[in-house]
Structures are given as C-alpha cells and as structure tokens.
Amino acid sequence: MSSSPAVLKRWIALELKRLRGEAGLKQKDAAARVGRSQQHVGYLEGARNLPSAGDLELLLGLYEVPERITFMRELLAAAKKGKDWWSGLNEAVPQWFNLFLGLEAGATDLSSFDSLLVTGLLQTSEYAESVIRADTDLTDEEVRQRVALRQGRQRILDQDDPVRLWTIMDEAVLYRRTGDATVMHEQLAHLLKMSERPRIDIQILPLDAGTHMAQQGGTFTVMRFPPDMVGDPGAVYHDLVTTGMYFEEAADIAVYERTLARLHAMAASQEESRTIIQRALKEVQP
C-alpha cells in the first residue's frame, strides 16, 4: 500500500464516492441521512478533507458495508500519520503543486510527454537551476529551494521499488540551450545513463515526426497507482505556466492515454532514441 498521504486521502475519497453510488444514493440524500451538509460530504468525496472516524462509521453504515469500517479506518490512520518529504521546502511549493507532489510520490507508473524541457525527474541539478533561474523574480534562496525540490522528487527513481517511468520528449528539447554548453552536455549524458535503467523508458519524438494531438497542449503526465487501490482510475496532471490542471475522470484520462499511445507509435524506439541523444551530445562541446 502507498505511504503517500495524498494518495491515501484520494483513495478514501474515491471509495466513499464509489460506495455511495453502489448504495444508490445521491450526495445530498447521503448527507441528510447522516446529519451532515452536502458540502461536507462533497469535501470528503473530493479529497479536500479527510473524514473523521465517526464520519466513516456513519457513512459506511448507511452504505451497508460495515465490514469496510476497519479497513477504511486503517487507511485514515495511515493518511494522518504520513508526512510529506517536501514539508521543509514549503516556500518552494505553490499550493496547487502540493497535490501533484503527493500523487507523484505514491504512483507506481508515470507516463509523460515533454515538449519544451527535459522531464523534471531526469533533470540534473545544474540544468534544473538554469530552468528555474529563468524566473528572474526569484531570490537565490528561492532558487535553491526549488532546485532541492526538483532533486528530491527524483528519489522515487532510487527507492527499493522504483516507479516505472516512461517519458516521451520532443527532439527540440535536446537542442534548446539551457545553461551553458557544460550544463547541456552533462544533462544529455545523464539522459543516456538513465535510459539504461530497466524501469525507465525514454523516447524521443523526432522533429520530422509530423503533427500530433499533444502539440498544442504541452507537457502532461499520466499517473497510475498501486493495484490494491481497486477502482482507482489514475490521474492526469497538465502543466501550465502559472498553475496545473488535474483530470481524474476515466473518460478524460482515456483521452490522454490515447494521445500517449499515438506519440509512442510516432516516436523513435528506445534504442533509436539513444542514438538521437548521442548525436545531440556530440554537437554540444563544453
């Protein structure tokens, strides 16, 4: 089971929504039956708030699944006990990014398309700093914290059961100068090294691949969670300039998965992608 508080909180919310639906109750009716406001139940089902132990017993009793109470209370205790690893870097974490960090930390599979930059989980610290310093309004301390945050995210690649990462990057990413030649050379060499790991797949979308569904949408990540989270459809995070968008409905996720499947077919194979990265590496001499 995931140890990510955000993932556990989200799963509790999904379970409460699913069980209410299976009980044939509308949200307002369930709220009235247990003496709570519809807004309160909505916040629980939307993962805005964690339920109390009393809420769980009332709702699961109403949904006629009292056998789920013990299990759900264990989830609740785990969600409350867990601690986010980035809690000491709060100044570097916008409020809207908190959810992404939690979901990323608890995911088993991450699939992304990156059109402008090397995906964050594969950035070197020097490359990340060059990217972050593009925001000239940041102080040196803010830059330091944001670099530390980006590097900290990469621990999911080195844990005992590492995340499965599959990323597709536009070939232009390899030639878009970020930092000086030394920074780019080290970044490209790092991509080659990481591509040798068994649970990391890197594909490059060639410049001559043609038009595709994602070219107007930019960067996005599809996240999948542990199989014991039965019924969890996964989530999509879409990166924007000043915020991020989340999609959690199965129909929306399916659109992004079809887009990734199409990009996968258009992109170079992993071996061909290594050749493309090597070619770019030779053109950058520190």
Side-chain angles (χ1 to χ4, degrees), residues 18 21 27 37 55 63 67 87-88 107 138 154 160 162 171 178 180 203 215 227 235 241 253 258 269 282:
R18 179 181 69 82
Q27 196 177 82
S37 68
D55 284 334
Y63 303 153
E67 69 279 3
S87 58
L138 297 176
Q154 297 177 11
D160 291 339
E171 186 177 0
T178 302
D180 59 22
Q203 286 186 271
Q215 63 187 22
V241 175
I253 295 169
R258 288 196 297 272
S269 68
K282 290 179 180 178

Side-chain angles (χ1 to χ4, degrees), residues 221-241:
T221 302
V222 177
M223 296 174 274
R224 290 291 183 185
F225 303 102
D228 52 5
M229 295 186 175
V230 179
D232 191 325
V236 172
Y237 173 76
H238 202 129
D239 206 15
L240 301 175
V241 175

Side-chain angles (χ1 to χ4, degrees), residues 26-245:
K26 293 183 178 179
Q27 196 177 82
K28 64 178 181 179
D29 297 326
R33 294 275 294 275
V34 297
R36 300 287 191 268
S37 68
Q38 183 177 350
Q39 183 183 57
H40 178 77
V41 174
Y43 283 168
L44 301 184
E45 293 185 358
R48 174 169 173 171
N49 296 336
L50 275 171
S52 66
D55 284 334
L56 279 181
E57 292 192 18
L58 285 172
L59 290 169
L60 296 179
L62 175 63
Y63 303 153
E64 298 184 353
V65 286
E67 69 279 3
R68 298 284 287 170
I69 291 176
T70 299
F71 174 68
M72 293 290 282
R73 290 191 71 164
E74 289 175 353
L75 284 184
L76 179 61
K80 290 181 176 179
K81 182 180 179 181
K83 183 178 180 181
D84 296 322
W85 62 264
W86 61 90
S87 58
L89 298 169
N90 286 336
E91 293 182 10
V93 184
Q95 186 61 38
W96 50 266
F97 200 54
N98 255 306
L99 177 58
F100 174 78
L101 292 173
L103 296 181
E104 182 184 65
T108 55
D109 294 83
L110 297 170
S111 303
S112 70
F113 172 67
D114 294 82
S115 60
L116 299 174
L117 298 166
V118 170
T119 192
L121 290 176
L122 298 178
Q123 291 181 8
T124 65
S125 59
E126 292 79 11
Y127 182 96
E129 181 175 348
S130 295
V131 171
I132 293 166
R133 284 195 180 279
D135 185 346
T136 56
D137 292 330
L138 297 176
T139 65
D140 286 345
E141 176 58 19
E142 288 172 330
V143 170
R144 185 197 68 76
Q145 286 206 19
R146 294 195 182 194
V147 172
L149 178 69
R150 196 156 303 182
Q151 293 297 293
R153 289 169 52 200
Q154 297 177 11
R155 67 182 65 190
I156 62 175
L157 302 175
D158 299 314
Q159 58 195 12
D160 291 339
D161 185 18
V163 70
R164 181 78 170 82
L165 175 64
W166 169 37
T167 181
I168 301 172
M169 288 181 279
D170 196 288
E171 186 177 0
V173 170
L174 308 180
Y175 293 96
R176 181 170 290 108
R177 182 61 65 90
T178 302
D180 59 22
T182 298
V183 169
M184 283 301 298
H185 190 275
E186 291 178 352
Q187 176 61 74
L188 295 176
H190 181 65
L191 282 181
L192 285 174
K193 180 180 179 181
M194 297 301 284
S195 71
E196 297 172 357
R197 293 197 181 189
R199 293 182 64 81
I200 295 179
D201 294 336
I202 300 174
Q203 286 186 271
I204 302 300
L205 185 68
L207 294 173
D208 61 0
T211 58
H212 53 82
M213 290 175 63
Q215 63 187 22
Q216 295 181 345
T219 296
F220 64 88
T221 302
V222 177
M223 296 174 274
R224 290 291 183 185
F225 303 102
D228 52 5
M229 295 186 175
V230 179
D232 191 325
V236 172
Y237 173 76
H238 202 129
D239 206 15
L240 301 175
V241 175
T242 59
T243 188
M245 294 180 64

